[in-house]
């Protein structure tokens, strides 16, 4: 056991598995159960405060699957558990995923019972991937689904991620920014993630800098000198007094350039209105007003509906922790084994057997009209959403677009959502239809397993 466990390294991801998956893999191996299994990743119901889930991570996880390999050190650590046969550990030592993956495009709005991805391969191989795949897709999908609501609420005003300090771990802080790109955020304060995922990086000052200076104006003058066009944080002591002093300063020194002010507390609507009036009357109409401080989509929507003169929003806790709906009940279920349909029929957790496809049909105005969840070989009108990204354990060349291209496609997919799904209020219409074939397959499969 390590006294100070490091950040999980990508090379150690084969051990990021729940014990029961290794135990089942050994059971499959020992019993000679090496036929192909098909597993489907989906959710049965939407969280209460979501009208759809913005699916993210389901294609990118293929890169992790492709490179998974147990090292000699991994095998030694597993051997120390005293649960695994030497020959099974030899099998793990030679493990490389040899199957295929079908996945929907990242940034696709999805609904209950629609597979985000399907993984096919020797059953023990796929079983080992369960928790890793679910964890990977869950994080980005949850954060993107929260972030896109902020975009809807802001109605065209930019929203910037300030959430790194309150995310649940460094991995979430980093990969969350990737998810925010799909949702349409304008930027992030997270330098590493912004650089890694080609997202604009924004930031000004904290109250501590203002407090550390001998006076508020000293702080403002220092920042304006070092960072021309900067945004000044004006609520450390008294918001309106600070803005009045900034106006006097800028009128005395017209060569000084600031881009905006930021309000981080108090009555944001009232303060923004008064600050806007003061700035406009001073001929400083080009100075923007940014708001932050405990914002979520509902507070932003209220500010927008009240016509508060706020030009952009910084959001921290609400986005970084997805604090109203921090979890999505993803399921990774066996739907076929040895070419026979398989299913679960537990109360409230019934699944549909067989390999699947999802067809998305748009209306004449280019808006989503209906999704059909069908068998893999069925054909319906609309675009088939599940597309192959891996075959025989390798990513298919050209199957996964660049991140920038994926983000553009995600914007088009979001633009195609009807207004009821873009609302912050619950959308009671479910656009998903299950094909007659799948319903019959479910009924027949259940009859067979019941004997």
């Amino acid at each position: 056991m390590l006294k100070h466990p490091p950040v999980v390294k990508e090379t150690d991801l084969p051990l990021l598995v729940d014990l029961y998956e290794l135990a089942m893999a050994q059971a499959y191996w020992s019993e000679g159960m090496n036929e192909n299994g098909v597993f489907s990743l989906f959710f049965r119901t939407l969280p209460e405060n979501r009208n759809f889930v913005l699916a993210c991570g389901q294609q990118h996880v293929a890169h992790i699957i492709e490179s998974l390999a147990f090292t000699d050190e991994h095998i030694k650590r597993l051997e120390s558990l005293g649960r695994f046969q030497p020959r099974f550990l030899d099998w793990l030592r030679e493990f490389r995923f040899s199957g295929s993956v079908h996945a929907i495009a990242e940034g696709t709005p999805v609904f209950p019972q629609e597979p985000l991805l399907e993984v096919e391969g020797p059953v023990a191989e796929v079983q080992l991937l369960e928790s890793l795949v679910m964890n990977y897709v869950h994080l980005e999908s949850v954060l993107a689904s929260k972030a896109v609501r902020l975009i809807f609420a802001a109605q065209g005003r930019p929203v910037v991620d300030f959430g790194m300090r309150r995310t649940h771990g460094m991995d979430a802080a980093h990969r969350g920014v990737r998810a925010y790109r799909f949702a349409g955020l304008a930027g992030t304060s997270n330098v590493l993630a912004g650089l890694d995922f080609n997202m604009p990086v924004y930031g000004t000052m904290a109250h501590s800098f203002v407090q550390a200076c001998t006076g508020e104006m000293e702080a403002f003058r220092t920042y304006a000198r070092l960072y021309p066009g900067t945004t000044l944080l004006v609520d450390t002591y008294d918001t309106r007094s600070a803005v009045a002093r900034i106006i006097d300063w800028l009128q005395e020194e017209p060569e000084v350039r600031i881009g905006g002010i930021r309000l981080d507390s108090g009555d944001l609507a009232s303060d923004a209105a008064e600050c806007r009036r003061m700035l406009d009357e001073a001929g400083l109409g080009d100075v923007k007003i940014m708001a932050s401080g405990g914002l979520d989509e509902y507070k932003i929507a209220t500010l927008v509906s009240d016509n508060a003169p706020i030009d952009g929003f910084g959001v921290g806790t609400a986005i970084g922790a997805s604090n109203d709906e921090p979890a999505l009940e993803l399921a990774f279920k066996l739907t076929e084994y040895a070419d026979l349909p398989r299913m679960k029929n537990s109360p409230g957790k019934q699944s549909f057997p067989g390999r699947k496809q999802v067809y998305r049909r748009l209306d004449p105005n280019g808006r989503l009209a209906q999704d059909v969840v069908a068998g893999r070989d069925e054909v319906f009108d609309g675009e088939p959403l599940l597309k192959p990204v891996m075959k025989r354990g390798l990513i298919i060349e050209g199957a996964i677009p660049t991140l920038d291209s994926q983000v553009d496609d995600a914007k088009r997919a979001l633009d195609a959502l009807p207004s009821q799904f873009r609302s912050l209020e619950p959308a009671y219409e479910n656009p998903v239809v299950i094909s007659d074939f799948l319903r019959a397959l479910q009924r027949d499969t259940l009859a067979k397993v019941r004997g």
Side-chain angles (χ1 to χ4, degrees):
M1 183 177 71
L2 298 175
K3 291 183 178 180
H4 303 289
V7 175
V8 176
K9 302 188 294 288
E10 188 166 337
T11 52
D12 284 335
L13 290 180
L15 293 185
L16 198 62
V17 57
D18 284 312
L19 180 61
Y20 76 90
E21 288 148 18
L22 281 166
M24 284 192 292
Q26 179 169 253
Y28 290 135
W29 169 83
S30 67
E31 297 303 308
M33 298 174 66
N34 55 9
E35 299 286 343
N36 270 7
V38 178
F39 286 74
S40 184
L41 180 70
F42 65 100
F43 55 93
R44 298 182 182 88
T45 59
L46 282 165
E48 183 178 352
N49 294 313
R50 301 289 181 269
N51 290 330
F52 63 90
V53 166
L54 192 62
C56 291
Q58 65 277 359
Q59 288 190 343
H60 196 254
V61 76
H63 293 285
I64 291 176
I65 294 172
E66 185 182 47
S67 62
L68 281 181
F70 289 86
T71 66
D72 289 341
E73 178 62 24
H74 296 154
I75 299 302
K76 288 179 182 178
R77 296 182 73 180
L78 289 175
E79 190 175 26
S80 71
L81 296 176
R83 291 174 175 266
F84 303 111
Q85 301 173 31
R87 288 181 57 213
F88 173 68
L89 293 175
D90 290 339
W91 180 85
L92 285 181
R93 187 179 279 107
E94 300 300 320
F95 168 85
R96 297 293 186 277
F97 179 66
S98 64
S100 64
V101 174
H102 287 70
I104 66 172
E106 300 213 29
T108 299
V110 294
F111 302 91
Q113 298 295 340
E114 297 183 338
L116 283 67
L117 60 75
E118 290 197 329
V119 186
E120 177 183 356
V123 66
E125 292 184 19
V126 184
Q127 192 76 71
L128 287 174
L129 304 178
E130 178 178 356
S131 292
L132 180 60
V133 167
M134 291 181 69
N135 178 280
Y136 199 91
V137 176
H138 179 270
L139 171 65
E140 292 191 26
S141 297
V142 165
L143 296 180
S145 300
K146 178 64 173 183
V148 76
R149 288 168 61 84
L150 297 160
I151 297 299
F152 292 160
Q155 295 187 24
R157 297 163 181 80
V159 179
V160 176
D161 157 46
F162 286 177
M164 176 169 60
R165 291 171 293 174
R166 296 192 177 108
T167 55
H168 297 165
M170 288 180 282
D171 185 53
H174 184 253
R175 286 180 40 226
V177 172
R178 183 177 186 275
Y180 303 151
R181 281 212 63 192
F182 287 102
L185 262 63
T188 179
S189 64
N190 184 331
V191 175
L192 175 63
L195 293 172
D196 284 349
F197 300 121
N198 193 27
M199 193 174 202
V201 179
Y202 294 106
T204 55
M205 61 173 65
H207 294 101
S208 55
F209 185 80
V210 179
Q211 294 168 297
C213 291
T214 56
E216 193 171 41
M217 286 308 300
E218 180 192 345
F220 294 161
R221 290 177 187 276
T222 298
Y223 251 63
R225 184 181 72 253
L226 289 173
Y227 312 112
T230 190
T231 296
L232 301 175
L233 181 61
V234 296
D235 73 322
T236 304
Y237 304 117
D238 182 276
T239 297
R240 300 182 191 189
S241 294
V243 172
R245 288 195 294 274
I246 288 172
I247 290 170
D248 291 341
W249 166 43
L250 295 181
Q251 290 178 332
E252 292 171 3
E253 302 180 41
E255 72 279 6
V256 174
R257 203 163 47 84
I258 70 166
I261 61 171
R262 177 160 68 95
L263 310 174
D264 192 55
S265 60
D267 186 332
L268 295 177
S270 175
D271 285 345
E274 179 60 17
C275 291
R276 182 76 275 157
R277 182 194 65 76
M278 295 167 66
L279 291 165
D280 289 349
E281 288 182 357
L284 298 170
D286 58 342
V287 174
K288 305 294 186 184
I289 298 178
M290 181 88 170
S292 58
L295 293 176
D296 62 14
E297 63 265 46
Y298 300 106
K299 292 177 182 177
I300 290 175
T302 298
L303 290 167
V304 170
S305 66
D306 289 345
N307 295 313
I310 295 173
D311 299 294
F313 303 95
V315 182
T317 304
I319 188 173
S322 185
N323 58 356
D324 63 330
E325 298 288 357
L328 175 66
E329 289 296 327
L330 279 179
F332 189 78
K333 296 303 176 187
L334 180 69
T335 62
E336 183 178 301
Y337 176 66
D339 295 322
L340 294 175
R342 310 288 171 153
M343 63 172 288
K344 181 176 179 178
N345 194 49
S346 305
K349 295 187 176 181
Q350 193 177 63
S351 59
F352 288 94
R355 309 176 196 196
K356 298 176 185 67
Q357 182 56 272
V358 180
Y359 289 92
R360 175 153 294 176
R361 183 172 61 83
L362 305 181
D363 66 18
N365 297 317
R367 303 291 185 187
L368 186 152
Q370 186 181 77
D371 283 354
V372 178
V373 180
R376 176 77 59 82
D377 296 327
E378 291 192 273
V379 177
F380 285 84
D381 290 339
E383 179 189 3
L385 299 186
L386 281 163
K387 297 178 180 178
V389 296
M390 290 190 76
K391 187 175 183 180
R392 291 193 288 273
L394 299 175
I395 294 173
I396 299 169
E397 185 175 358
I400 302 178
T402 65
L403 179 58
D404 287 348
S405 177
Q406 289 176 314
V407 169
D408 290 341
D409 290 341
K411 184 180 185 307
R412 285 188 284 271
L414 287 167
D415 288 344
L417 285 174
S419 58
Q420 65 266 31
F421 297 112
R422 300 171 65 88
S423 171
L424 300 185
E425 299 303 316
Y428 296 103
E429 178 184 349
N430 184 353
V432 179
V433 172
I434 307 297
S435 75
D436 291 341
F437 168 79
L438 278 186
R439 292 193 180 279
L441 186 64
Q442 183 188 62
R443 182 181 62 247
D444 295 345
T445 301
L446 184 58
K448 289 179 181 177
V449 297
R450 281 174 169 170

